Amino acid sequence: MYVPVILGTAREGRESGKVARFVLGEARKFGFESEVLDVRDYGVPATDRSGGSPAAKRLAEKVSRADALIFVSPEYNHGYPGELKMMVDLLVEEYAGKPAAICAVSSGAVGGARMVEQLRLVLIQLRVVNVPEAVYFPEVGKLFDADGEIIDRESFSRRANRMLADLSWHAGALKAARGKK
């Protein structure tokens, strides 16, 4: 199964990149074909709803091919980054009927829970099936060492694997259902 990891912030110095690399590694160990789709690589003007830009076409190809999606996003001001919203809004049909899992990143103790709530609402409108299991990375500045490696690998690998198992089950069921259309 092809399951890309969508990195949802373009902010300089972003800690979410470390989380995305960790999640990518866990997804590959789980058996998924995966890559990071960095919002920085798919930036388009906010008013471009044509889908005709080269970036939008590349994104459409990746999301169309995907069996499921994993979003990694920080929480900014109780929500998710604007560039992630613009990236998500580029497409509609390509997301429909596919499951998505969310990994939340936060510098605070709550771990991005409010961002997860908001992103799930938008994904529902796009007919994405939200898997219940999410992974929260609170106080992210303390979770990785100087080389960008997660410190508590065992605990976060266990959490990621619960999410990936949930995502895999939904991806298999929904892929079969999409094939019946």
Side-chain angles (χ1 to χ4, degrees):
M1 285 189 194
Y2 174 60
V3 182
V5 175
I6 297 174
L7 174 54
T9 180
R11 188 175 280 186
E12 289 301 317
R14 61 189 177 177
E15 297 286 333
S16 300
K18 295 173 188 173
V19 174
R21 284 188 298 278
F22 169 75
V23 172
L24 174 67
E26 294 299 309
R28 287 178 173 166
K29 281 193 266 181
F30 191 84
F32 292 145
E33 176 189 352
S34 191
E35 65 180 308
V36 172
L37 304 181
D38 190 333
V39 72
R40 288 179 177 172
D41 299 331
Y42 297 95
V44 296
T47 57
D48 179 6
R49 296 274 306 156
S50 69
S53 71
K57 287 179 183 175
R58 282 193 330 272
L59 181 63
E61 289 170 5
K62 300 281 186 180
V63 174
S64 291
R65 181 174 166 237
D67 296 300
L69 303 160
I70 301 170
F71 288 87
V72 173
S73 178
E75 179 176 297
Y76 295 157
N77 301 317
H78 293 204
Y80 55 92
E83 57 265 19
L84 178 57
K85 176 69 169 143
M86 291 189 315
M87 184 179 179
V88 167
D89 285 351
L90 278 175
L91 309 175
V92 176
E93 294 304 317
E94 295 85 351
Y95 292 113
K98 295 181 180 178
I102 303 173
C103 296
V105 182
S106 174
S107 60
V110 177
R114 295 163 295 218
M115 178 280 296
V116 171
E117 291 172 352
Q118 289 189 12
L119 183 54
R120 281 184 171 161
L121 290 174
V122 171
L123 295 176
I124 287 168
Q125 182 60 34
L126 294 169
R127 299 188 324 265
V128 170
V129 176
N130 286 285
V131 299
E133 196 69 43
V135 181
Y136 298 89
F137 293 83
E139 298 179 334
V140 69
K142 299 177 183 177
L143 297 180
F144 293 85
D145 65 19
D147 296 323
E149 295 296 319
I150 197 155
I151 294 168
D152 187 1
R153 179 169 296 279
E154 183 179 332
S155 175
F156 280 95
S157 289
R158 194 170 44 252
R159 294 174 204 176
N161 275 283
R162 279 195 308 264
M163 177 195 71
L164 294 168
D166 197 10
L167 187 62
S168 180
W169 184 90
H170 281 83
L174 291 168
K175 185 175 184 176
R178 285 191 311 273
K180 293 179 184 177
K181 289 183 180 180

